[in-house]
Amino acid sequence: MEYLLDTPQAGMAIHELILEAHQDNLRDRRSAARYPFFRRVSIRSKSPIVAFSREISAVGVGLLHNAELTPGEVEVSIPSKRGYSIRVRTRIVWCQPCGEGWYISGGQFVGVASATA
């Protein structure tokens, strides 16, 4: 069912989505503060994967990508606005499909591999 944006039903439908997001946030038991961080990143696994970060914390990163990742260690290259990239060894903890060939995953930082210009 689709709703037109200017109807009361659309307002209720959007409110339901906000409630879902709030409930998901309440179930999240991570202790580290997370920050929205949408940026193109590269993942080096068996083959290179272009991905996007969704959020970042002191201990990990949320990712969006179009290839499934198996749990285990990868290298994530994150570009800085200062012109260099930081390569971080990251343990993929979970990966789940989010629709039409796209996946979201959560990675825990293991260590900085290097910073390159």
Side-chain angles (χ1 to χ4, degrees):
M1 176 183 303
E2 292 185 20
Y3 297 103
L4 295 175
L5 190 55
D6 60 352
T7 65
Q9 293 88 356
M12 288 302 297
I14 291 169
H15 181 71
E16 287 178 25
L17 294 175
I18 291 169
L19 287 176
E20 287 177 15
H22 180 68
Q23 289 168 350
D24 287 346
N25 193 43
L26 290 176
R27 279 193 291 270
D28 186 2
R29 294 195 170 102
R30 289 177 269 193
S31 59
R34 290 176 293 156
Y35 304 96
F37 189 75
F38 190 78
R39 193 165 294 180
R40 184 178 173 169
V41 302
S42 298
I43 300 172
R44 286 178 54 190
S45 183
K46 296 172 187 160
S47 59
I49 299 169
V50 173
F52 296 92
S53 60
R54 299 180 303 116
E55 59 192 16
I56 195 166
S57 75
V59 297
V61 64
L63 300 167
L64 170 69
H65 38 88
N66 62 358
E68 186 172 9
L69 295 174
T70 57
E73 199 169 302
V74 298
E75 184 179 279
V76 178
S77 180
I78 305 170
S80 165
K81 287 185 177 180
R82 295 181 183 244
Y84 59 87
S85 292
I86 301 168
R87 294 185 355 218
V88 186
R89 291 188 347 257
T90 304
R91 181 181 311 111
I92 300 299
V93 179
W94 60 270
C95 178
Q96 66 185 41
C98 63
E100 299 186 30
W102 287 93
Y103 298 85
I104 55 174
S105 63
Q108 184 177 36
F109 295 142
V110 176
V112 175
S114 71
T116 57

